[in-house]
């Protein structure tokens, strides 16, 4: 094995660096006597062991990550001042974490679940994260529903057993989930490996240029390995860690997985009149309206050295933005701007951005100070300036950079005039379009996968779901109803 290749001996030390003479025996009072109180090395070892765990992510706990490179092949200068999107051929280091959503840290890689596709670009002006999934849409269009949704998809709170009734009861009460749940129950619901999925920003994000013009953008990462999937029966025969193994092995062997990076771009003016709400993450922008524009390649070429340090402590946030890149009014995305940094502070601590995997690859200067595990950044520049404003900005103290101010966003409505109800904003058309583009085999798989769970639900939930499928497409509704009835005998 590669890790046994080195011939060098490595001295064992305490965490304070002192050499350790004996790691096999505790100190005792004689051969059969109790431990003596000077077992400081034993105490350190046990005490550190007690503190090995941090909370796992509340969602996306199970995942695998690797480092790589983003290569720009087409300049986006007309759309953005972002420094890494200017010259064809420019390369940017990236870190990409794949994950399942609902299971715990040691759950199976082969759950029928969306796959997370969380991407960190270490740009020259800070870290930019796209925290997306392998699907172009999401189950919800308002973040206020997210905790309920996740509760419904996790295990039963009393029995800790899978709970199909809760899964479908949530969907029955939230027709906005139909498009995403159709993707989830389709053949694409269980990917063969992380290398064989597409990634999407899912949300509409934005780019802005030197003229103060903003563009709405959806990002697509198309796998160069091709989409490959598993049926439920095939997935059941795989070891739980199979996707992780596949990723580690392929990169170790030098078979670097890659994705072609594409964007859809819409002007602010077009967005005002587009027939689809461009900020509704339950919907795609059809390719015929907004064709994909190829702009680069993404490659993974280096595994992590320390799974805990790099994978478990990785902190991605939709609020990690850099000059030239912004968010959009998407309600889900807006809610996520709070959720992630809050989760990181709870899970990893206030200085999570100083951990190497999260640390920017550019200088960090600010007036944030101290906190648990404060390392050497941010640097204390400007003769110890510890507050702002001060008289030292011409002597190395951090100063604001007004030219990176994002262009203003014009608002069209008064805030709080009413609760703007968007629950019934066309929940069905795009689910129906997806059903229509499936071949016969894919339709059969979709209907079977739905019937597996739905046949275990109450009649009221079944009825509500039959109506939703039929609303998307008459044949979709008819087939699901028939298959559920077949199973009920
Ligand atoms: P197109 O015919 O131009 O595109 C169809 C897209 O559907 C392709 O990108 C294809 O992905 C993808 N696809 C095929 N089967 C599935 C599946 N089971 N789950 C998820 N994606 C699948 O059509 P439109 O742009 O008009 O979109 C029609 C429907 O396609 C949408 O309602 C949406 O459900 C789905 N879709 C659309 C996307 C978009 O950005 N417009 C992106 C992904 C899906 P691939 O190229 O990888 O085979
Ligand atoms: C992880 C919340 C919607 C993709 C997380 C985490 C939280 C969270 C708290 C764990 C973060 C951590 O501990 O590091 C939310 C909320 C949402 C939402 C409140 C809705 C308002 C979405 C959507 C997507 C998404 C729409 C994709 C389009 C991810 C991914 C991760 C994640 C990929 C894992 C990141 C990683 O690998 O570390 N989410 N989420 N989430 N979320 Fe969301």
């Amino acid at each position: 094995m590669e890790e046994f290749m080195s011939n060098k001996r490595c001295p064992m030390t305490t965490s304070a660096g002192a050499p350790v003479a004996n790691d096999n025996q505790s100190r005792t009072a004689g051969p059969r006597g109790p431990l003596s109180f000077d077992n400081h090395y034993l105490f350190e070892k046990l005490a550190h062991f007690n503190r090995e765990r941090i909370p796992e992510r509340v969602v996306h706990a199970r995942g695998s990550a690797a480092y790589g490179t983003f290569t720009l092949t087409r300049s986006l200068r007309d759309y953005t001042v972002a420094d890494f999107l200017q010259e064809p051929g420019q390369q940017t280091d990236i870190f990409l974490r794949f994950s399942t959503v609902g299971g715990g840290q040691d759950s199976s890689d082969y759950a029928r679940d969306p796959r997370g596709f969380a991407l960190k670009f270490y740009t020259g002006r800070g870290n930019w994260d796209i925290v997306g999934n392998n699907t172009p849409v999401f189950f919800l269009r308002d973040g206020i529903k997210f905790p309920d949704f996740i509760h419904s998809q996790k295990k039963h709170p009393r029995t800790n057993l899978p709970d199909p009734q809760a899964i479908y009861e949530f969907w029955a009460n939230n027709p906005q989930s139909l498009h995403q749940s159709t993707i989830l129950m389709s053949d694409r619901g269980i990917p063969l490996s992380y290398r064989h999925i597409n990634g999407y920003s899912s949300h509409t994000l934005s780019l802005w240029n030197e003229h103060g013009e903003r563009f709405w953008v959806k990002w697509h990462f198309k796998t160069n390995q091709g989409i490959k999937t598993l049926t439920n029966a095939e997935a059941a025969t795989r070891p739980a860690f199979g996707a992780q193994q596949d990723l580690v092995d392929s990169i170790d062997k030098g078979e670097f997985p890659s994705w072609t990076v594409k964007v859809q771009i819409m002007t602010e003016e077009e967005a005002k009149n587009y027939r689809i709400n461009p900020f509704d993450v339950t919907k795609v922008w059809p390719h015929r309206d907004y064709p994909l524009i190829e702009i680069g390649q993404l490659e993974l070429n280096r595994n992590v050295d320390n799974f805990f340090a790099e994978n478990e402590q990785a902190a991605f946030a939709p609020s990690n933005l850099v000059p030239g890149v912004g968010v959009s009014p998407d309600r889900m995305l807006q809610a996520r701007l709070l959720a992630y940094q809050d989760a990181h502070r709870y899970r990893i601590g206030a200085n999570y951005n100083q951990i190497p995997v999260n640390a920017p690859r550019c200088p960090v200067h600010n007036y944030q100070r101290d906190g648990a595990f404060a390392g050497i950044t941010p640097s204390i520049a400007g003769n110890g300036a510890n507050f702002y404003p001060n008289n030292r900005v011409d002597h190395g103290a951090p100063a604001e950079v007004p030219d990176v101010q994002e262009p203003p966003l014009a608002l069209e409505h008064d805030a709080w005039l009413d609760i703007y109800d968007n629950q019934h904003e066309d929940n069905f058309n795009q689910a129906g379009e997806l059903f229509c583009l499936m071949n016969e085999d894919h339709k059969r798989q979709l209907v079977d996968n739905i019937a597996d769970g739905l046949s275990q639900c109450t009649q009221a939930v079944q009825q509500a779901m039959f109506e939703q499928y039929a609303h998307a497409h008459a044949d979709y509704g008819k087939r699901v109803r028939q298959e559920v009835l077949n199973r009920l005998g």
Side-chain angles (χ1 to χ4, degrees):
M1 288 175 80
E2 207 183 321
E3 55 260 47
F4 294 153
M5 298 292 273
S6 166
N7 294 324
K8 278 193 266 171
R9 285 185 74 89
C10 170
M12 184 185 292
T13 69
T14 65
S15 61
V20 172
N22 188 334
D23 189 45
N24 270 314
Q25 276 86 29
S26 308
R27 294 189 199 202
T28 54
R32 298 194 176 186
L35 298 184
S36 58
F37 198 71
D38 60 357
N39 265 286
H40 46 81
Y41 175 63
L42 166 72
F43 300 156
E44 174 186 304
K45 194 169 169 181
L46 295 187
H48 190 275
F49 177 70
N50 284 352
R51 291 161 177 77
E52 282 185 4
R53 294 285 166 273
I54 58 172
E56 64 177 30
R57 293 166 176 83
V58 62
V59 281
H60 297 263
R62 168 128 192 106
S64 307
Y67 296 93
T69 313
F70 166 66
T71 306
L72 188 73
T73 53
R74 177 184 172 138
S75 173
L76 287 176
R77 185 182 284 116
D78 289 346
Y79 304 103
T80 180
V81 296
D83 67 347
F84 67 110
L85 297 175
Q86 301 298 307
E87 298 295 337
Q90 264 184 296
Q91 292 202 317
T92 305
D93 289 344
I94 58 107
F95 183 67
L96 173 55
R97 181 172 182 271
F98 306 98
S99 48
T100 51
V101 181
Q105 214 173 50
D106 290 320
S107 59
S108 171
D109 288 343
Y110 296 115
R112 181 170 294 281
D113 210 1
R115 298 296 184 268
F117 193 97
L119 182 56
K120 192 179 287 295
F121 294 81
Y122 299 100
T123 87
R125 303 194 88 182
N127 291 350
W128 178 46
D129 295 352
I130 292 186
V131 196
N133 279 340
N134 69 330
T135 59
V137 294
F138 196 70
F139 296 94
L140 310 169
R141 62 172 72 97
D142 191 326
I144 201 164
K145 289 174 176 286
F146 187 77
D148 300 277
F149 164 65
I150 294 296
H151 291 167
S152 76
Q153 311 295 299
K154 291 231 180 202
K155 292 187 182 147
H156 189 281
R158 183 175 70 82
T159 61
N160 201 35
L161 292 168
D163 190 2
Q165 169 69 21
I167 292 174
Y168 279 93
E169 194 176 326
F170 182 88
W171 290 340
N173 283 290
N174 291 279
Q176 62 191 259
S177 297
L178 189 68
H179 190 189
Q180 171 77 310
S181 71
T182 299
I183 295 176
L184 181 63
M185 291 299 151
S186 80
D187 56 298
R188 300 216 178 173
I190 310 182
L192 170 65
S193 85
Y194 293 134
R195 293 183 297 134
H196 295 97
I197 60 174
N198 292 337
Y200 300 91
S201 62
S202 313
H203 296 286
T204 297
L205 304 175
S206 60
L207 293 175
W208 49 272
N209 66 17
E210 60 185 340
H211 309 298
E213 294 165 321
R214 178 186 283 104
F215 301 86
W216 304 118
V217 183
K218 282 191 186 285
W219 291 76
H220 302 246
F221 302 86
K222 295 279 204 172
T223 172
N224 292 334
Q225 292 68 237
I227 297 276
K228 290 193 183 159
T229 59
L230 296 171
T231 61
N232 288 343
E234 290 165 337
T237 66
R238 302 259 164 170
F241 49 80
Q244 178 158 11
Q245 180 101 55
D246 175 83
L247 186 69
V248 171
D249 288 351
S250 60
I251 294 175
D252 276 352
K253 278 192 286 192
E255 289 168 15
F256 300 142
S258 62
W259 286 261
T260 299
V261 186
K262 302 184 177 189
V263 289
Q264 290 176 292
I265 300 182
M266 184 187 291
T267 64
E268 279 189 296
E269 210 43 44
E270 286 166 344
K272 287 181 189 157
N273 300 312
Y274 190 41
R275 63 193 165 86
I276 297 166
N277 174 359
F279 311 120
D280 175 355
V281 71
T282 69
K283 298 194 178 71
V284 297
W285 301 352
H287 296 134
R288 62 184 176 279
D289 293 351
Y290 288 92
L292 297 176
I293 305 167
E294 182 173 333
I295 61 120
Q297 287 288 322
L298 193 74
E299 178 188 86
L300 293 181
N301 47 34
R302 181 162 67 87
N303 278 312
V304 300
D305 289 326
N306 179 323
F307 183 81
F308 178 84
E310 292 155 279
N311 189 68
E312 293 310 288
Q313 296 195 119
F316 298 88
S319 54
N320 276 351
L321 300 163
V322 295
V325 173
V327 294
S328 77
D330 176 333
R331 289 183 184 190
M332 284 287 289
L333 178 58
Q334 299 270 319
R336 296 178 74 199
L337 298 178
L338 167 106
Y340 289 69
Q341 291 181 322
D342 183 51
H344 303 148
R345 290 183 195 107
Y346 161 68
R347 198 166 63 77
I348 321 173
N351 285 313
Y352 65 90
N353 268 332
Q354 295 184 23
I355 293 170
V357 66
N358 301 323
R361 307 273 169 90
C362 61
V364 176
H365 305 292
N366 59 46
Y367 297 90
Q368 293 174 16
R369 292 282 175 264
D370 311 338
F373 310 118
I376 52 167
T377 58
S379 68
I380 295 179
N383 198 17
N386 211 22
F387 52 89
Y388 191 84
N390 58 48
N391 297 339
R392 310 175 201 196
V393 293
D394 294 327
H395 306 282
E400 293 157 332
V401 187
D403 65 320
V404 300
Q405 182 63 52
E406 189 173 348
L409 178 71
L411 297 179
E412 292 168 13
H413 294 283
D414 296 336
W416 314 316
L417 185 65
D418 202 350
I419 300 280
Y420 294 103
D421 182 358
N422 62 7
Q423 303 233 44
H424 306 288
E425 242 176 50
D426 178 14
N427 295 317
F428 305 107
N429 267 330
Q430 293 197 346
E433 281 170 27
L434 178 60
F435 178 79
C436 288
L437 64 81
M438 290 181 189
N439 64 29
E440 184 51 36
D441 176 47
H442 292 159
K443 283 181 181 160
R444 191 187 43 76
Q445 288 190 45
L446 170 73
V447 168
D448 277 351
N449 292 333
I450 292 171
D452 281 348
L454 193 56
S455 58
Q456 301 178 54
C457 299
T458 58
Q459 279 187 2
V461 165
Q462 287 170 355
Q463 193 53 41
M465 292 308 299
F466 294 156
E467 283 165 22
Q468 287 189 26
Y469 299 126
H471 209 134
H473 193 278
D475 192 35
Y476 189 6
K478 201 168 114 197
R479 286 177 176 227
V480 172
R481 181 190 291 268
Q482 190 54 53
E483 188 55 37
V484 169
L485 294 179
N486 288 349
R487 300 203 182 200
L488 297 175

